[in-house]
Amino acid sequence: MTAADYQKTHHSPLLPLLAKFDELAAADQYRELAETYAAFIKEHETTRYLASEPVPFKVSDHLTKKFGSSSFTTFTLRHSTWASDLRQALDKGPDAFVALLTKIEGEITEIAKGAKKLS
């Protein structure tokens, strides 16, 4: 069940936010994702943790689809704190979030280039 499907039967302000995160991550709209998060936190300050916690999963799901699971897994093994770093960048603002994701995507791209093709 997707966040959008779950939202139809449950009424939490987090559910539309999670669906929006899915949409923005899938479209590589990282700045908009960070801006959406910031706007949500401004309105719902007490949900900061609940709003930020799923972001690394949403991003990892997108990057796995974009670059492949092997490349993303290799990246996570090399950078075990990436999810914490991502949440910290999210709290610093859209510029920091986009800069970190640009760096992460660059590193994963390099890993993907070096991956051996299956025969």
Side-chain angles (χ1 to χ4, degrees):
M1 176 181 287
T2 66
D5 292 335
Y6 191 78
Q7 176 185 346
K8 292 175 186 173
T9 59
H10 294 78
H11 304 288
S12 166
L14 285 168
L15 294 174
L17 179 69
L18 297 178
K20 188 70 172 174
F21 284 171
D22 286 334
E23 175 188 322
L24 294 171
D28 287 326
Q29 295 180 335
Y30 301 131
R31 176 167 299 284
E32 290 82 355
L33 191 152
E35 290 169 350
T36 299
Y37 169 79
F40 184 85
I41 293 306
K42 188 174 182 179
E43 188 174 335
H44 307 280
E45 177 60 35
T46 60
T47 61
R48 177 179 297 274
Y49 175 79
L50 293 173
S52 68
E53 190 64 18
V55 172
F57 172 76
K58 302 292 187 182
V59 169
S60 71
D61 185 52
H62 169 64
L63 294 177
T64 299
K65 290 175 185 172
K66 185 174 181 176
F67 295 104
S69 61
S70 295
S71 298
F72 184 74
T73 300
T74 300
F75 171 79
T76 62
L77 290 171
R78 292 179 184 173
H79 304 281
S80 60
T81 62
W82 78 271
S84 296
D85 297 341
L86 191 69
R87 280 195 304 276
Q88 289 173 0
L90 186 62
D91 282 332
K92 289 179 184 174
D95 290 338
F97 187 71
V98 170
L100 181 59
L101 272 167
T102 299
K103 180 182 174 202
I104 289 172
E105 281 200 358
E107 291 182 33
I108 296 173
T109 299
E110 289 303 312
I111 292 168
K113 286 179 185 176
K116 294 180 180 178
K117 303 282 185 200
L118 295 175
S119 47

